[in-house]
Amino acid sequence: MMILPEFELLRPRSVPEAVAAARAARGRFDFLGGGTDLLCNYKWGINVQPTVISLRHIAELRARTNGSVGGGVTLAELEGDEDFLQDFPAFRRTLARLASPLIRQTGTLAGNVLVDTRCIWLNQTQFARAALGHCLKADGPECRVVKGSTDRCYANYSGDLAPVFMVYGATVRLAGPQGERVLPLSAFFALDGIRRNVKAKDEILVSLDLPADARTLRASYQKFRVREAWDFPELAVAAAARLDGDRIEELHLVANAVASIPLWMEDLARGYVGRTLDDATIDAIANDMTRAVSPVRATLLPPSYRKQMVGVMTARALREIRGDATAA
Amino acid sequence: MTQEFTVVGSRLPLVDSWRKVTGQAVYGDDLRFPNTLLCRLVRSTVPHARIVRVDTSRAEAMPGVRAVVTGKDASARFGVLPISQDEEALAIEKVRYVGDIVAAVAADDEATAAAAAAAVEVVYERLPEYFETGPGLAPVAEPIHAWTVDGSNTQKRVEQHFGDMDAALDAAAVKPKAHFDFIGVGHQFTEPHSVTAVPEADGRMSLYTPTQVPHYVHRALAKVLEVPMHRVRVFRTAVGGGFGGKSDPFPHEMAVCLLARKVQRPVRLTFDREEVFLTNRGRHPGTYDVQIAFDADGRMLGLDARAVIDGGAFASFGVVTTYYNGVLSQGPYKIPNFRYEGARVYTNKAPCGAMRGHGAVNARYAIESVIDMAARELRRDPIDLRLQNVLDPYSKTTNEFRITSNGIRECLERVRDESGWTAKWGKLPFGKGIGVAAGFFISGSALPIHQTRTPQSTVHLKIDVDGGITAHSMGAEIGQGSDTVIAIAVAEVLGVPLDFVRVRSEDSDTAPLDLGAYSSRGCFMIGNAAREAALVIREKLARAAARLTGRDASEFAFANATLSIDGDRPVSVSYFEALTEALADNGALLAKGWYQAPRMGGTYKGAGAGLAPAYSFNACVAEVDVDVETGLVRCTRMTLAHDCGRALNRLAVEGQIEGCMHMGLGQALLEEMRYERGRITNPNLLDYKILGPFETPEMRVIVVESEDREGPFGAKEAGEGPLIPVLPALGNALYDAVGYRSHELPVRPAKVFQHLQTLRKGGATPAKTWETNGR
């Protein structure tokens, strides 16, 4: 059977207590949300730390108010929050098609946003990694996907919620030893499969906050994978727009799960503001999105195919925003 | 129906299902014996190497470690087939794949065992590695085993030729041919292997294991432990799924016994999922080339096939698989000329073996795809073309298989009528398709693996004063319902409710021999043995009733726990009255029934392969919806008719057929064991993708009952055959939908997409043509 390695489990009751515990652990720790990802990695011996700081018992992280969602809110709680889903309808299908109902009972918002990057070379047991050869992200000298890369990991970002929060214009609230800070979620991620984002190791994701005017955006998240449950995205596209009739007033796009972070396509999107959201524009945006991504062989499907599917998913997202009838 | 039954044909939950759903069933990992040690294995991390040194000293010195065994502790080789005993309990001189067991550790707890296993130092001298079958057909520098064909890695070659295939090809009006590639797939049962070895106080060794083949494990264990068979006991724990993946004696079963013997304490080992993948015995990857000749009227003139299958590192059932890839194409059609060449090649990968539909599944995909191609060339409805060529009931195939009951015609007609085929075929819009395929499978291998005259199935019955009937059998209940078959057969014959019967089928010390759950033999053979045994008891009870009433024993009918004679002088004796009389001055009623397949088949080399006392037949219609923007393929609806002779338990037959659809579609659409230089890269159930709820189609099951003359109450198999037509029906529906013929499985969405892109280069929305939709 697979055995969980030994670690010290801490259960702080407040954010300052958790930050203090993190500080004391001097970098050799992991924060634990639902554990649906971290503990699997631990069982496989991937980057196991001697201390695990559970955030499950911090009431502040489980708060949900008016567009602000605590990092510790479970995906099932969010899925059942009808007010939230009415305000931000793109989350409805995103949550319903995220992992599986069982995992959503336990998994948390912060856990999904901060989910560790995944790779066919990394997410393997200790035995398999020993047989296959270790990789840069865990115990090895170089990346196995992009051979020769010794300073950058190309593992794939696989969270589903961050791109949707991004196109809705969310900010992220972090708490650390220096206190709290707030930054746009679109500026949160950092393009490297190991570093992943700008959060300091001992900072905690307290909440994601959606601006009031996000309620008037029309958004869509189109996820592509071979099974409609359980599977992580092979690629996905999040889009949000404000339309005046069929004229684009505001447009936000994220290409997701085709790199180590969700790719914020702000310049690309801005180029289409003022245009009419007709078939030609949708095709043009889809082509631009396809050209803008360069997935690598870190997941099941061939990278060239994933690249082309980014265009298809972009078109589907934009058609949904336009109000075309879509197949679930 | 020609016969009236009381239990046979009802819809019954399996008799062991209550234990399973309430948690009472004892699976391997539920067992807790006092003083049990936990085992972890040291497995090879390299594909092919000579073992220079195994240093266990650091592991043995660790606190809590009680014993370590290596290849030095057992020299005898074993294997499921007597002709290919190539497995070792622990690798002796060489390792042959990543996952081969090199050493086993027993310790006070699992964490200590794991740490000790990691502390065993193995020094390897690497050898040339072979991952593909092609180079292995010719001599190689370092054959994986010493006993291969002419210094190659070829384990087995088969050549068969009946009639004159070249003449058939010359005479053909159409003769489509194609090449197919198949990736390996695994069984993915729920329960990982979990075994406990218990050294008994009298010096015997007991092994508790979730096995499909207790008898073969029994034989192999005696051989490896070098003790007579009566010094070994095999206890089959509840089996959490098998599908062929628990039908070999396994090295780990030997290893825990060696540890237990060494340390004289029970030793338990439970695999993690990765070890299930490494143990494998799944469906062989391979290539299949097939050409089928038809005359202008659509009559099938001949079938010419060549299979090269990738066996992985050990033989397992591979010799049988090599034959089955050819000979199981002898049905369900009349094939007057037939040529087959098959080869099984060892590679440095996890060993392949038997999996649901053993040896017939990939070949059938190829054959039914090519028949679909022929139907299009001949401009014939593919169901119509198949109907024209089916075998007749009670006939013989070209290679001398004895065909008994055969419901293929009804299967094809009913899937046609109940799927709405006529309204759909050729009439669906681009992106939607419908396809058909037929199938054929053995209902139990007629020849036992070990050539003895011991019956293949024996069932004992015991009835005492409580009236309950205990049935003993070593038939391996693996969820397929063999215990229920026994209970139904006994209850039907004796006219008692099902709950009078309790089946004991776990313990080799008490159960009479049965060869186990493989080759879809259980229902036919165990069912017949149970029925025979019950008839003996029936005779005893009838005679007792005759003594009580003065009537003739042969007149009594058995139903509702009553023995009765209708007519103008009716009498009735309760089951208990008759039993009490039968027990008087006699004691418990005992009876035995057994089954041995009759002699059959030809005398040519390999004539025994594929012989069965009966064959099952089936047909499947699949409907698909292709996402024409992405190339993703979904099966939306499936209609499958299976001729099982007679459904002893309709609910179980339907469950088996639905399971077959799910498993077959899994291989057709998603499942694959992916390798990187001999290392499995997806040994977990996230990356190895079995079908999920959203990918599972609407299922329509049709049970066809051809009433086999030799089957128990007319029954034949239903556990494996229904899988076989699922994959080609899907492939043919995909072709109908978008004109893409997948020459490999699983279907690759990226390639379907590429095909769609090519069509779109023409400009307008693609439309179906004669080529793509047969109209």
Side-chain angles (χ1 to χ4, degrees), chain A residues 1 3 44 118 121 124-125 127-128 131-132 224 226-228 231-232 300 305 308-309 312 316 319, chain B residues 40 43-44 110 270 274 278 627 629-630 634 674 679 681 683-684 686 689-690 694-695 749-750 753:
Chain A
M1 260 195 300
I3 314 167
W44 285 359
R118 303 181 58 81
W121 297 95
Q124 300 280 355
T125 65
F127 172 82
L132 283 161
F224 190 80
V226 294
R227 290 187 300 190
E228 284 296 305
D231 285 356
F232 287 99
L300 169 74
Y305 178 55
Q308 285 168 300
M309 288 304 106
V312 175
R316 285 190 180 175
R319 291 201 297 256
Chain B
R40 290 306 293 166
R43 292 177 180 275
S44 172
E110 198 164 5
T270 299
E274 180 178 42
L278 295 172
D627 183 333
E629 287 185 336
T630 65
R634 295 264 188 263
R674 285 182 283 137
R679 285 85 170 165
T681 60
N684 62 74
L686 181 61
K689 297 183 188 300
I690 60 173
F694 292 101
E695 289 73 40
F753 175 72

Side-chain angles (χ1 to χ4, degrees), chain B residues 6-323:
Chain B
T6 54
V7 188
V8 164
S10 358
R11 303 175 58 86
L12 302 163
L14 300 182
V15 293
D16 54 333
S17 57
W18 304 112
R19 285 201 293 280
K20 287 177 175 167
V21 298
T22 56
Q24 279 188 18
V26 177
Y27 291 92
D29 196 55
D30 292 326
L31 284 172
R32 292 295 181 271
F33 291 93
N35 303 315
T36 300
L37 300 173
L38 278 297
C39 171
R40 290 306 293 166
L41 301 171
V42 179
R43 292 177 180 275
S44 172
T45 54
V46 297
H48 199 195
R50 211 171 301 289
I51 300 170
V52 177
R53 190 161 53 86
V54 182
D55 184 349
T56 60
S57 55
R58 267 180 61 219
E60 283 169 309
M62 291 169 75
V65 174
R66 303 296 170 183
V68 182
V69 291
T70 68
K72 289 199 179 82
D73 292 276
S75 59
R77 291 202 173 87
F78 67 93
V80 67
L81 301 185
I83 46 171
S84 53
Q85 305 258 310
D86 63 359
E87 301 200 49
E88 295 154 355
L90 302 126
I92 296 172
E93 286 174 355
K94 295 212 295 189
V95 291
R96 295 177 171 86
Y97 78 102
V98 171
D100 221 353
I101 302 171
V102 180
V105 178
D108 291 347
D109 59 74
E110 198 164 5
T112 304
V120 171
E121 191 196 344
V122 189
V123 179
Y124 296 110
E125 177 196 329
R126 299 288 285 269
L127 295 169
E129 296 164 358
Y130 306 101
F131 305 127
E132 306 295 331
T133 52
L137 291 165
V140 293
E142 173 71 28
I144 294 167
H145 290 280
W147 44 82
T148 52
V149 178
D150 300 332
S152 69
N153 275 327
T154 309
Q155 181 214 341
K156 176 72 184 172
R157 276 185 187 281
V158 171
E159 285 181 24
Q160 292 195 339
H161 193 175
F162 297 95
D164 187 342
M165 191 62 221
D166 289 327
L169 288 168
D170 286 345
V174 301
K175 43 187 173 184
K177 65 174 178 177
H179 171 87
F180 296 87
D181 284 292
F182 300 98
I183 303 261
V185 293
H187 319 82
Q188 302 322 332
F189 34 76
T190 312
E191 178 210 20
H193 309 258
S194 178
V195 297
T196 302
V198 180
E200 305 287 358
D202 62 3
R204 297 175 76 216
M205 180 62 68
S206 293
L207 176 70
Y208 294 77
T209 181
T211 180
Q212 297 179 232
V213 287
H215 178 61
Y216 300 138
V217 173
H218 195 165
R219 282 179 180 254
L221 208 47
K223 186 180 181 195
V224 171
L225 295 176
E226 299 183 61
V227 296
M229 275 178 79
H230 76 274
R231 303 294 289 162
V232 173
R233 171 183 177 219
V234 175
F235 190 100
R236 180 188 57 76
T237 52
V239 180
F243 309 110
K246 292 169 181 169
S247 60
D248 288 64
F250 287 115
H252 69 269
E253 292 173 322
M254 313 296 140
V256 289
C257 290
L258 292 167
L259 281 168
R261 180 161 76 177
K262 191 167 182 175
V263 74
Q264 284 300 306
R265 285 171 66 173
V267 176
R268 185 173 78 241
L269 168 66
T270 299
F271 277 4
D272 55 42
R273 183 57 57 177
E274 180 178 42
E275 291 182 288
V276 174
F277 277 90
L278 295 172
T279 305
N280 191 26
R281 321 294 162 135
R283 198 174 318 289
H284 289 63
T287 59
Y288 206 85
D289 288 275
V290 62
Q291 181 167 27
I292 306 180
F294 289 85
D295 69 14
D297 296 330
R299 198 169 66 92
M300 206 182 273
L301 301 179
L303 188 151
D304 197 2
R306 183 167 188 269
V308 179
I309 58 173
D310 177 348
F314 293 100
S316 182
F317 279 93
V319 169
V320 178
T321 322
T322 316
Y323 275 109

